[in-house]
Amino acid sequence: MTTIKDVAKRAGVSTAVVSAVISGARGNVRMSEATRLRVEHAIRDTGYRVNHAAQSLRLSRSGVIAAVVPKIANPVFELAIRGMHAAAEEHGDVLLLADALWIEPGSHLMSRIVGTGMVDGVLLRSTQWGNETAEELTKRSIPYVILQNPRPDDSVSVWIDDAAGIGLAATHLLGLGHRRIALVGGPLVQIASSARLDGYRSALRAAGVRFDRSLIKQVGYEPPDLATATRELLGSARPPSALIVDNIVAASGAIAAILDLGLRIPDDLSIVVYQDLPAADTMRPAPSTVRMPVQQAGMRAYTTLRRMIDGRRVKSALVTRPAPKLIDRGSTAPYAG
Amino acid sequence: MTTIKDVAKRAGVSTAVVSAVISGARGNVRMSEATRLRVEHAIRDTGYRVNHAAQSLRLSRSGVIAAVVPKIANPVFELAIRGMHAAAEEHGDVLLLADALWIEPGSHLMSRIVGTGMVDGVLLRSTQWGNETAEELTKRSIPYVILQNPRPDDSVSVWIDDAAGIGLAATHLLGLGHRRIALVGGPLVQIASSARLDGYRSALRAAGVRFDRSLIKQVGYEPPDLATATRELLGSARPPSALIVDNIVAASGAIAAILDLGLRIPDDLSIVVYQDLPAADTMRPAPSTVRMPVQQAGMRAYTTLRRMIDGRRVKSALVTRPAPKLIDRGSTAPYAG
DNA sequence: TCGCAACGTCCTTGATCGTGGTCATGCCGC
DNA sequence: GCGGCATGACCACGATCAAGGACGTTGCGA
């Protein structure tokens, strides 16, 4: 392996000068232009790369950020990850992705990345082991940002406006004349779901429609669970004429249930799906969706974490831009009575 | 941060003893049972964790493996990643996941993980920048394993039997009496696609059916491309009665095209999709699929790479167990024409 | 039985990995 | 002789390991 010494020898200078060239002369080391060029030439010739271990050891920072999401293959999280990655790349950090399943308490990965200095901070979008992980991080005083509605404690969060998103879906359907609008899916945990429910209720209230608790099914994100919940809703005495599905990853379950009952979309039932994906275009029926600034939230979460690591003060933040947008793919129709 | 020195001081021994306790006395240092217990106690009391940077620097190995896949959110790759992760976790390694998009030549991530000693090796399942990356790795003599059909060069590969998988799909349809079976999707690059094509042709040959080039559409993995190809096939003068779709992630494109044409599955057209996923159960229509040992291939790729890193001799390997299996979800019917 | 060397056990010391920052030194012009 | 600039020697970062030291035990010959 070529080290900084090899480069120094080749350029005929000391290692301090090479170090200064690499870092853009951040110390008090000055050098002539000629020297700098000679060093840069030597770096190119030898293909020298800074040794990551030595650098982290010396600086006590690794330039690696861990990102923990509940499920890596979830395309909505992929958007968030893409945002985090873009921001990290720009700053020069590397993202260490982990599925929440991998970091269950006591897992090897958890103990390898926490407390060993392997990562400078953690981006946490995890429902599963979120609390245990957050506690562990706090105990070891490792900076972290939670990608989710803020929790009661004083940890830092970055989140998107679920209330506004669900509210937009409801408003769209109300505008088409629907009055019995069901809401199916969504998290089982209390905090986040209440935001979604709030958005739904506010939209109804604004339209002067009475809230009916029986039209709400918060059953989590597993397609089979959504299928069951959807069947129950549609099989009830007074079925809804429209459906808001939270969210797009599990929507296949709801859609399957609808088609299995012989109902047509949007003729017999209008549906709007919360969260948008490029893949929605090739789903059949193609669902109208609400597009949220997920990628932007990922970027914001990273920049917030970066500021924390740099010792600057940060606040939790709600990401509202671009504003939620309804993407119409024709899965909704005016209420036909 | 607590270091090995703190632990040593607390236990009243030198750092070398602590190091020996941690590593299970791999060096030439012996100690009494009492001393070992005292040290272990001190480690527990202080919550000490080995500093990753210092350890990597000293041992010149990081215990981190990079895994590069074309698209992280691809659920088939997720299976492979899960296999890699399980195997890595068992050995004590950490996986650094990267989307191929992130490592385009000259990207920051690429230069950070290659040549800096940040990772001990790379698992490469990448079509996009695969060649450039492989070259770079070879140049820097970083061990890597390619998760794909072997290439002409002498790099190490681990792959699954695409020929057998596609062959199984074809055989199933042939057994139902179909004679005009189309094959749509699949990679655009030559090497892998020929294996798939071989499987298809062998199955036809075994059944005494003539190969018809016009029934093959190798158009890559984008759903819209599959939709177009499927429309062309079904709109031709002599349309197929059955369709093999490669693969499940892009299958939505083909299925959308079929439904858009007003055709019913399996009444008007039988389809089998290559590669299986849990999510296939909630797709509508639910496709019959061919399940491949993808996760096992991921594990095998990791263990192979691990052996390379440890300096042992390895060979490319075809993962055949469990054997490809056809999962019947009712999307195929006997030939009625 | 005693003395001394040889040996074994348990542990410590010090060098080392590659970087980065501090500080001292040398040199130049004035 | 002095200020300022360019440069290089040196040490710390934390963990590991080879070398070796302290101490006790054993073996063996006198």
Side-chain angles (χ1 to χ4, degrees):
Chain A
M1 198 188 51
T2 65
T3 74
I4 201 171
K5 272 186 198 159
D6 303 323
V7 177
K9 194 178 295 176
R10 192 185 183 99
V13 298
S14 76
T15 60
V17 176
V18 179
S19 177
V21 170
I22 294 164
S23 63
R26 97 194 109 206
N28 57 359
V29 173
R30 315 281 160 82
M31 79 211 75
S32 63
E33 182 67 8
T35 305
R36 200 175 57 71
L37 285 174
R38 229 170 46 246
V39 171
E40 281 175 354
H41 202 81
I43 290 176
R44 263 196 299 280
D45 286 354
T46 54
Y48 166 75
R49 291 278 166 75
V50 175
N51 181 292
H52 178 251
Q55 193 175 48
S56 328
L57 177 61
R58 188 66 180 81
L59 301 179
S60 350
R61 58 163 191 73
S62 65
V64 179
I65 300 293
V68 179
V69 297
K71 200 164 160 54
I72 283 184
N74 183 318
V76 177
F77 296 149
E78 188 204 14
L79 288 179
I81 292 169
R82 205 182 286 180
M84 296 176 201
H85 174 77
E89 173 103 5
E90 192 172 346
H91 182 275
D93 278 344
V94 169
L95 215 55
L96 178 63
L97 272 186
D99 196 300
L101 285 177
W102 303 354
I103 61 151
E104 50 183 305
S107 79
H108 174 73
L109 181 59
M110 184 67 185
S111 61
R112 275 302 291 277
I113 67 176
V114 168
T116 65
M118 184 183 260
V119 300
D120 296 340
V122 179
L123 295 165
L124 200 57
R125 165 71 216 230
S126 176
T127 48
Q128 188 143 24
W129 306 114
N131 284 330
E132 286 89 339
T133 307
E135 268 175 41
E136 177 91 15
L137 292 172
T138 304
K139 211 171 62 189
R140 302 214 168 247
S141 56
I142 294 173
Y144 67 94
V145 169
I146 297 179
L147 266 130
Q148 214 158 34
N149 298 42
R151 288 154 189 269
D153 60 24
D154 57 352
S155 58
V156 176
S157 295
V158 168
W159 73 104
I160 55 173
D161 198 343
D162 288 325
I166 296 286
L168 178 58
T171 304
H172 176 72
L173 291 168
L174 288 162
L176 289 170
H178 293 277
R179 286 301 171 264
R180 290 190 62 76
I181 302 170
L183 175 59
V184 59
L188 291 167
V189 294
Q190 188 53 35
I191 293 173
S193 64
S194 76
R196 291 163 196 224
L197 208 49
D198 287 352
Y200 173 87
R201 297 184 72 155
S202 319
L204 259 61
R205 198 178 313 120
V209 174
R210 208 172 129 269
F211 173 70
D212 180 351
R213 186 76 189 76
S214 72
L215 290 175
I216 310 296
K217 299 268 186 188
Q218 299 222 326
V219 293
Y221 292 121
E222 290 303 315
D225 296 337
L226 261 77
T228 306
T230 305
R231 264 195 302 276
E232 285 174 18
L233 280 167
L234 299 177
S236 69
R238 297 180 57 214
S241 67
L243 193 59
I244 300 173
V245 181
D246 175 11
N247 65 48
I248 191 164
V249 176
S252 64
I255 292 174
I258 294 165
L259 299 182
D260 289 352
L261 287 170
L263 297 176
R264 289 161 305 162
I265 297 171
D267 314 53
D268 302 320
L269 190 74
S270 288
I271 91 167
V272 175
V273 173
Y274 183 55
Q275 299 279 24
D276 183 63
L277 286 180
D281 285 329
T282 53
M283 290 172 69
R284 286 299 177 278
S288 298
T289 57
V290 176
R291 182 177 295 164
M292 302 295 294
V294 174
Q295 196 163 344
Q296 287 79 5
M299 300 182 71
R300 181 63 180 272
Y302 169 79
T303 52
T304 302
L305 179 61
R306 188 69 247 171
R307 291 172 66 99
M308 284 180 76
I309 294 168
D310 294 342
R312 297 202 268 164
R313 290 250 306 272
V314 298
K315 290 184 306 199
S316 291
L318 173 67
V319 177
T320 56
R321 293 182 193 247
K325 184 180 174 190
L326 196 128
I327 311 294
D328 194 337
R329 292 193 182 82
S331 70
T332 61
Y335 179 60
Chain B
M1 197 188 50
T2 65
T3 73
I4 202 170
K5 271 186 197 159
D6 302 324
V7 176
K9 195 178 294 176
R10 192 184 183 100
V13 296
S14 74
T15 60
V17 176
V18 179
S19 177
V21 169
I22 294 163
S23 65
R26 98 191 110 207
N28 58 357
V29 173
R30 313 281 161 80
M31 78 213 74
S32 65
E33 184 66 8
T35 304
R36 200 176 55 72
L37 285 173
R38 228 167 50 243
V39 171
E40 281 176 352
H41 202 82
I43 291 175
R44 262 196 300 278
D45 288 353
T46 53
Y48 166 75
R49 290 279 167 75
V50 174
N51 181 293
H52 179 250
Q55 193 175 48
S56 326
L57 176 59
R58 184 59 232 246
L59 300 180
S60 353
R61 57 163 192 73
S62 66
V64 178
I65 300 293
V68 179
V69 297
K71 199 164 160 52
I72 282 184
N74 183 316
V76 176
F77 296 150
E78 188 202 16
L79 288 178
I81 292 170
R82 204 182 287 182
M84 296 175 201
H85 174 77
E89 172 101 6
E90 191 172 347
H91 183 274
D93 277 345
V94 169
L95 262 196
L96 178 63
L97 274 186
D99 196 301
L101 285 177
W102 304 353
I103 61 151
E104 50 183 306
S107 81
H108 174 73
L109 182 60
M110 183 69 184
S111 61
R112 274 300 292 276
I113 66 177
V114 167
T116 66
M118 186 184 259
V119 300
D120 295 339
V122 179
L123 295 165
L124 202 57
R125 165 69 218 231
S126 176
T127 48
Q128 187 143 25
W129 308 113
N131 284 331
E132 287 90 340
T133 307
E135 268 175 42
E136 176 90 14
L137 292 171
T138 304
K139 210 171 64 189
R140 301 213 169 249
S141 57
I142 294 174
Y144 67 94
V145 169
I146 296 180
L147 265 131
Q148 215 159 32
N149 298 39
R151 289 153 188 270
D153 59 24
D154 57 352
S155 57
V156 176
S157 296
V158 168
W159 74 103
I160 56 174
D161 197 343
D162 289 326
I166 296 286
L168 178 58
T171 304
H172 176 73
L173 291 168
L174 289 163
L176 289 169
H178 294 276
R179 287 301 172 264
R180 289 188 65 73
I181 302 169
L183 175 59
V184 60
L188 291 168
V189 293
Q190 188 52 35
I191 293 174
S193 64
S194 75
R196 293 165 194 223
L197 210 48
D198 287 350
Y200 173 86
R201 298 184 73 154
S202 316
L204 260 60
R205 199 178 312 120
V209 175
R210 210 172 129 268
F211 174 72
D212 181 351
R213 187 76 190 77
S214 72
L215 291 174
I216 309 295
K217 298 269 187 188
Q218 299 223 324
V219 294
Y221 292 121
E222 291 302 315
D225 295 337
L226 261 78
T228 307
T230 304
R231 264 195 302 277
E232 284 174 20
L233 279 167
L234 298 177
S236 70
R238 296 180 57 213
S241 67
L243 193 60
I244 299 172
V245 180
D246 175 12
N247 68 46
I248 191 163
V249 175
S252 65
I255 292 175
I258 294 165
L259 299 182
D260 289 353
L261 288 169
L263 298 175
R264 288 161 306 162
I265 296 172
D267 313 52
D268 302 320
L269 190 75
S270 288
I271 92 168
V272 176
V273 173
Y274 183 55
Q275 298 280 24
D276 183 63
L277 286 179
D281 286 328
T282 53
M283 291 171 68
R284 287 296 179 279
S288 298
T289 57
V290 176
R291 181 177 295 163
M292 301 297 292
V294 174
Q295 196 162 343
Q296 288 77 7
M299 300 182 70
R300 181 63 180 271
Y302 168 79
T303 52
T304 302
L305 178 59
R306 188 68 248 173
R307 291 172 67 98
M308 283 180 77
I309 294 169
D310 294 342
R312 297 202 266 164
R313 290 250 306 272
V314 299
K315 291 183 307 200
S316 291
L318 173 66
V319 177
T320 56
R321 304 201 178 229
K325 185 181 173 189
L326 195 128
I327 312 293
D328 194 337
R329 292 194 181 81
S331 70
T332 60
Y335 179 58

